[in-house]
Amino acid sequence: MITHQLLRPESIVVVGASNNVHKPGGAILKNLISGGYRGELRAVNPKEQEVQGVPSFASAEEIPDTDLAILAIPAQLCPDVVETLASQKQTKAFIILSAGFGEETHEGALLEDRILEIVNKYGASLIGPNCIGLMNTWHHSVFSQPIPQLNPKGVDLISSSGATAVFILESAVTKGLQFNSVWSVGNAKQIGVEDVLAYMDENYDPEKDSNLKLLYIESIGDPDRLLFHAASLIKKGCKIAAIKAGSSESGSRAASSHTGAIASSDSAVEALFRKAGIVRCYSREELTTVGCVFTLPELRGKNFAIITHAGGPGVMLTDALSKGGLNVPRLSGAAAEELKSKLFPGASVGNPIDILATGTPEHLKLCIDYCEEEFENIDAMMAIFGTPGLVTMFDMYDVLDEKMRTCRKPIFPILPSINTAGAEVAAFLEKGHVNFADEVTLGTALSRIVNAPQPANNEIELFGVDVPRIRRIIDSVPEDGYISPHHVQSLLQAAGIPVVEEFVSSKKEDVLAFGRRCGFPVVAKVVGPVHKSDVGGVVLNIKGEEHLALEFDRMMQIPDATAIMVQPMLKGTELFIGAKYEQKFGHVVLCGLGGIFVEVLKDVSSGLAPLSYEEAYSMIHSLRAYKIIQGTRGQKGVNEDKFAEIIVRLSTLLRFATEIKEMDINPLLATETDVIAVDARIRIEK
Amino acid sequence: MITHQLLRPESIVVVGASNNVHKPGGAILKNLISGGYRGELRAVNPKEQEVQGVPSFASAEEIPDTDLAILAIPAQLCPDVVETLASQKQTKAFIILSAGFGEETHEGALLEDRILEIVNKYGASLIGPNCIGLMNTWHHSVFSQPIPQLNPKGVDLISSSGATAVFILESAVTKGLQFNSVWSVGNAKQIGVEDVLAYMDENYDPEKDSNLKLLYIESIGDPDRLLFHAASLIKKGCKIAAIKAGSSESGSRAASSHTGAIASSDSAVEALFRKAGIVRCYSREELTTVGCVFTLPELRGKNFAIITHAGGPGVMLTDALSKGGLNVPRLSGAAAEELKSKLFPGASVGNPIDILATGTPEHLKLCIDYCEEEFENIDAMMAIFGTPGLVTMFDMYDVLDEKMRTCRKPIFPILPSINTAGAEVAAFLEKGHVNFADEVTLGTALSRIVNAPQPANNEIELFGVDVPRIRRIIDSVPEDGYISPHHVQSLLQAAGIPVVEEFVSSKKEDVLAFGRRCGFPVVAKVVGPVHKSDVGGVVLNIKGEEHLALEFDRMMQIPDATAIMVQPMLKGTELFIGAKYEQKFGHVVLCGLGGIFVEVLKDVSSGLAPLSYEEAYSMIHSLRAYKIIQGTRGQKGVNEDKFAEIIVRLSTLLRFATEIKEMDINPLLATETDVIAVDARIRIEK
């Protein structure tokens, strides 16, 4: 529960306030004071009359009513103080910095439980315990450094880990990134990352609130809430980027050991971020670079002009953009020639536009104007301007500042001379701008943003899916485990997924009759033995009745054989769809090409059920082997629409059959006209 | 030609020296003075008696003999000054800062030619023109900032581009990276990147010289020299990392437009770097991070311990290392338990080792000692230590400093609090250390280094390759273009590459007789038409004589058909080998799996002919689809040794048949026992 008093307290008490600014209770008071907090500040410290100039009280009982209390006292003292303040002093918000709770011992966990009970009873907010605090434009209630520039249009940072938040800020302040708020949720006893996001969503005011959010998440406790509110915020115009630490197997082990939570699979995280429209990052450097890009005007296309007075970085940036699927189109024609004639001899305008080392601020202005007004195949500009130190860069950066404020097209400032032009860069940042010191880091971050999908809509695609029939089939399955081929086929049919026709019988005459009816060649498989291939129980490409009769006789001799299953032999490109149920996330659906693409190249993309058509297409398009689906070099492609349709329908099926814990359709055979499921396994747990 | 006077001049004259330090002629003199140059400094400036306290002469004619001359005067004045100094003043080294030469106009190019003629005549060195200069521990002859810490064991930076060198230094000084020398070769009229490397190689003294080199290259003018000297230096114990700008198609266009040189293909660059053992980087940030890693003791294995007092960065680093093929092994057992018992409650030692936010320098020392002495499955340590600002980090970093000086195992310092602990980080860097501010950037750089191959040996594998026969065949080919199937087959056989047996005839009886002899099924292809498949000229899997006879009759009716070619129908995994001749580089050999792996997934690796077995294996192992070659999930692998052998033999063939401009063997069919070329094309130009 996030109360008004947590965000905009009229009064704050620091319990355990100290004159020693090397202690949390001293540092936080110092930050509050130097942050210009305008409400009433109070301290509780039995040994002092005044702490850092703030009136001090001997105990919590003695203070006047106070909105927000910050506790920097030993863990075991916290519950009583919280009780006193909540019950007697109208305190509706608590930030508990102290460690020594559930993260350390069982006794600590019990203390935490008691505190939670009290704050919930009195309708108060609780941040922490074991956190660095919360800072926003109203109050700097953190004990840590650095304090970034705070600004209502800066980014909101919400972090599972206090130390990581601090280090993210280190990386951010160097770039000039400003913040609206920084939340370190610590043990997140009452308020976790999802809760902060939910509050921001439910109270979102596009006029007043920041629309930029950065998240650092160590474990996703409530994926549904995270998904719902992240997607909702993004649909309202917000931009969200996040690190989910623990994306590798070892990293996941490390994260679990750090947080004590069960790790979620990386494909589940990937699927959730895709569905929500969150830009996924893997390092602090990447997260803050993406945050800086967020602060610039929205990109309207993928075509960039690079304006520079140094060739090398322009080339490296061109490489990075191209690799990320972005373009640095050649500039030519009358306008380009005209621009060239206004620059120094030797300057080039082909893109990158190189005004030479001797290029002037006036030249930069001209280049920007041409990109803004004349070059229609340009959507945004990158300006790379450093210095070997002969002249100052103030004039050059003034041009950038002015143009960034007035141009419709975004301009990305890349100012590499952070030492030599340190004063100029600092002055530029003070005007509220950001700086990308490394061009390739920017190029990579941009491609992450441009390639992130839009948030999905929340509707379930029901058309053609027979939900009552699905429920009847699931309910009729007698026991847990892999269900019979017959049930598998019925379920897929009920979801409107085309399944290869098949026939099972222990009677030779019936099997032969089916072969005649569906047409040869056919495939025959023994029913009964589990590892069919190992016992010679699968025969492909049976071309006539006589051959089928022979195979029937042979297969029925295999131990455990109860019947023979016959299917027409289809041809096509092998596709794959799989799904598994992951606790809290629901069904994660995977798709890809079959065979080695899944098994060796791990070329699969993931989505969270239920899936929309847009999501299914986005999953298909993000496969490395997508060109094979499109068709390439004389090979015909496959029917992408039908593949997407099957992915969507399967996800709907799963939504109404949560008993399915694991399934795959492998292969589906796809041609230009059809995609048909050939083999499938479904495991249920009721 | 690099003279002693360029590196260790006893006297330097700045022609065009100025009191205005905002001009190159002023800035370079200032840098020389503040760099503590100990030789004789002179200025040429007709208007002054003294420039910045240095005696000034009215013209070059009037100065005493001088070793090194720096020219900061208009381009058209340079040739005469160079002539005067070289002929009359014993000047054996020139650094020409001035622009306005070949990079701008034809007249400028003529000036450059004249200067080159003079310096060559007098045996003098020339750096530039159009450069920022050269700095080393002896003299700071650059007009640019920043000036990094110079140290004989620092890195050597050699850059095609002055501005890029400056920006690389910006990124380096922040990390504490120290330099032995920085070369900006400008127009490289006499001395280019390859020449500097050649000099370093030919004069390498392991006792005195730096063994660390960073290169920024815009065009590779002389690949053979680069390869030879880079590989030679690396074999002598050096480490080299390089950026070759222009790795994408657009980037390559940008680089050509910047340098005026013909772009080399990215696969040629990749092949050259692989052969030389150069670590390839793509950004300034990456290059300087790799440079910092180079300064640490050599890694002896891939197992890392992460020691930290903040969970989050440890998890992100674990992710980055794992993705790069490095390990963060779990620590357990008696030693781990013992270590845990000495830390605060709640600390974890599973790896990452988390000593908690309250962990002390003594705890850090303990952890390092255990990793150094007790944990045998640990090869190196990563220490992540920042601060929220409550206490200073001097003590913590003193422990790091001491342990880095005394431990056998490398310790990587990750100090994220570059603002809050700015003073502590600066003090740490002043002791000669580097700092990796972002853990993931370090993890990625490390994996680039660990995964870079060793330099190849230079021998040509001749065993089983019949060189005289290869020459006879090439010499007998009548004209340029694709050579006949018969010649292709003979060439491959002469190189000892197994080729599928094939038979060509226009006589039906002979064709049928061959089919009987080699055994059915066979493949038949029409000879004559170019696009065989399009006209129905390829039939696979012909199972008997009757079928072959029918196909013979049908195919001979195809327009332009002159004969029919018959091969036995082989089965196996399709492999691919290709090669093209690239100017200056020689033959670039590509290998991969056939079909979609090459055409769609672009999963190929490249090497420069001639190739050793080690190189061929390294090429094969770096394929994404390598697991298919190994065998996977019930699919048998293929004979990797024979694949490597064919790659090596083909590269030898190419080395003795440079007339081959383009060729591919596609497919080779590979089984567990054999790899056989099934189809090949060779294009020659004499």
Side-chain angles (χ1 to χ4, degrees), chain A residues 21-24 27 103-104 132 143-146 161 163-164 166-167 169-171 173-174 216 218 243-255 257-258 282-286 309-316 318-320 322-323 328-331 345-346 348 350-352 354 356 384-391 414 416-421 437-441 543 596-597 599-603 624-625 627-628 632-633, chain B residues 21-24 27 103-104 132 143-146 161 163-164 166-167 169-171 173-174 216 218 243-255 257-258 282-286 309-316 318-320 322-323 328-331 345-346 348 350-352 354 356 384-391 414 416-421 437-441 543 596-597 599-603 624-625 627-628 632-633:
Chain A
V21 297
H22 302 299
K23 291 184 171 175
E103 81 285 0
E104 286 185 13
I132 61 164
F143 68 81
S144 60
Q145 296 288 336
S161 151
T164 309
V166 166
F167 300 161
L169 290 175
E170 290 281 353
S171 155
V173 296
T174 312
Y216 172 81
E218 292 193 337
I243 297 173
K244 165 65 180 71
S247 57
S248 66
E249 209 175 301
S250 311
S252 170
R253 168 173 64 75
S257 128
H258 183 219
Y282 293 89
S283 72
R284 298 184 286 113
E285 190 60 24
E286 210 168 71
H309 61 169
V315 178
M316 290 188 278
T318 304
D319 285 337
S322 299
K323 280 175 201 163
V328 184
R330 187 191 285 273
L331 296 172
S348 58
N351 202 12
D354 186 347
L356 303 182
I384 311 178
F385 283 84
T387 176
L390 292 181
V391 293
I414 299 163
S417 296
I418 47 175
N419 300 286
T420 304
D438 187 81
E439 53 283 346
V440 173
T441 307
K543 289 195 173 160
I596 47 156
F597 287 94
E599 290 171 10
V600 179
L601 301 176
K602 314 284 180 206
D603 182 21
R624 286 205 305 272
K627 275 194 186 157
I628 294 171
T632 175
R633 303 280 293 254
Chain B
V21 297
H22 301 299
K23 291 185 172 175
E103 82 285 3
E104 285 186 14
I132 60 166
F143 69 81
S144 61
Q145 296 287 336
S161 151
T164 310
V166 166
F167 301 161
L169 291 175
E170 290 282 352
S171 155
V173 295
T174 312
Y216 171 80
E218 291 194 338
I243 298 175
K244 164 65 181 70
S247 57
S248 66
E249 209 175 301
S250 312
S252 171
R253 168 173 64 73
S257 127
H258 183 220
Y282 293 88
S283 71
R284 298 184 285 115
E285 190 61 25
E286 212 168 71
H309 61 169
V315 178
M316 289 188 279
T318 305
D319 285 337
S322 300
K323 280 173 202 165
V328 183
R330 188 192 285 273
L331 297 172
S348 58
N351 201 11
D354 185 347
L356 302 182
I384 311 177
F385 283 85
T387 175
L390 291 181
V391 292
I414 299 163
S417 296
I418 48 176
N419 300 285
T420 303
D438 187 81
E439 53 282 348
V440 173
T441 307
K543 289 195 173 160
I596 47 156
F597 287 94
E599 291 170 10
V600 179
L601 301 176
K602 314 285 179 207
D603 182 20
R624 287 206 304 271
K627 274 194 185 157
I628 293 172
T632 174
R633 301 283 290 256

Side-chain angles (χ1 to χ4, degrees), chain B residues 469-483:
Chain B
R469 188 173 159 209
I470 288 171
R471 287 311 318 163
R472 278 198 306 277
I473 298 166
I474 293 285
D475 293 340
S476 74
V477 171
E479 56 188 34
D480 287 359
Y482 284 101
I483 65 176

Side-chain angles (χ1 to χ4, degrees), chain B residues 302-338:
Chain B
K302 295 188 176 186
N303 295 322
F304 292 82
I306 298 173
I307 309 171
T308 181
H309 61 169
V315 178
M316 289 188 279
L317 178 55
T318 305
D319 285 337
L321 292 172
S322 300
K323 280 173 202 165
L326 306 171
N327 313 318
V328 183
R330 188 192 285 273
L331 297 172
S332 57
E337 287 308 313
E338 188 180 285

Side-chain angles (χ1 to χ4, degrees), chain A residues 53 63 78 106 120 164 234 283 292 310-311 362 369 385 418 424 439 461 477-478 580 620 671:
Chain A
I63 66 167
C78 288
H106 177 64
N120 283 348
T164 309
I234 293 171
S283 72
C292 287
E362 189 56 37
D369 288 343
F385 283 84
I418 47 175
E424 294 95 315
E439 53 283 346
E461 294 283 349
V477 172
K580 61 178 178 172
I620 295 170
T671 63

Side-chain angles (χ1 to χ4, degrees), chain A residues 385-604:
Chain A
F385 283 84
T387 176
L390 292 181
V391 293
T392 66
M393 298 300 283
F394 291 108
D395 293 349
M396 200 67 99
Y397 297 169
D398 281 349
V399 170
L400 268 185
D401 167 50
E402 185 212 321
K403 292 297 177 186
M404 286 176 72
R405 281 187 287 101
T406 54
C407 285
R408 283 168 301 115
K409 298 178 181 174
I411 301 176
F412 294 82
I414 299 163
L415 316 181
S417 296
I418 47 175
N419 300 286
T420 304
E424 294 95 315
V425 172
F428 181 77
L429 298 185
E430 257 169 41
K431 290 176 183 157
H433 297 300
V434 294
N435 174 30
F436 303 93
D438 187 81
E439 53 283 346
V440 173
T441 307
L442 166 61
T444 310
L446 256 177
S447 70
R448 283 212 191 282
I449 294 171
V450 171
N451 294 318
Q454 290 301 303
N457 68 47
N458 284 320
E459 282 155 37
I460 301 181
E461 294 283 349
L462 287 170
F463 181 77
V465 178
D466 185 344
V467 175
R469 190 174 157 208
I470 289 171
R471 286 310 318 161
R472 277 198 307 276
I473 299 166
I474 293 286
D475 293 340
S476 74
V477 172
E479 57 188 33
D480 286 0
Y482 284 102
I483 65 177
S484 74
H486 169 71
H487 281 120
V488 170
Q489 201 158 30
S490 307
L491 275 174
L492 296 181
Q493 280 163 355
I497 296 172
V499 184
V500 66
E501 199 181 357
E502 64 181 37
F503 181 78
V504 178
S505 173
S506 59
K507 288 180 189 157
K508 188 164 168 182
E509 257 326 295
D510 295 352
V511 164
L512 295 180
F514 175 80
R516 280 193 302 273
R517 187 165 60 73
C518 79
F520 289 93
V522 297
V523 178
K525 296 181 187 175
V526 71
V527 177
V530 178
H531 298 290
K532 297 181 205 314
S533 303
D534 300 353
V535 293
V538 179
V539 179
L540 306 176
N541 210 25
I542 298 174
K543 289 195 173 160
E545 201 170 331
E546 208 172 331
H547 187 182
L548 181 57
L550 283 170
E551 292 294 352
F552 180 92
D553 292 341
R554 187 185 61 78
M555 283 193 190
M556 288 300 284
Q557 306 296 322
I558 295 172
D560 301 330
T562 59
I564 303 299
M565 192 267 277
V566 186
Q567 293 176 333
M569 171 96 183
L570 298 179
K571 286 193 172 171
T573 302
E574 286 191 13
L575 303 177
F576 160 89
I577 304 179
K580 61 178 178 172
Y581 186 85
E582 188 151 333
Q583 224 177 356
K584 296 185 183 170
F585 283 77
H587 286 103
V588 180
V589 178
L590 305 168
C591 79
L593 276 89
I596 47 156
F597 287 94
V598 170
E599 290 171 10
V600 179
L601 301 176
K602 314 284 180 206
D603 182 21
V604 290

Side-chain angles (χ1 to χ4, degrees), chain A residues 167-187:
Chain A
F167 300 161
I168 289 169
L169 290 175
E170 290 281 353
S171 155
V173 296
T174 312
K175 301 181 175 64
L177 186 59
Q178 303 195 0
F179 288 78
N180 175 55
S181 69
V182 177
W183 300 69
S184 127
V185 298
N187 291 2

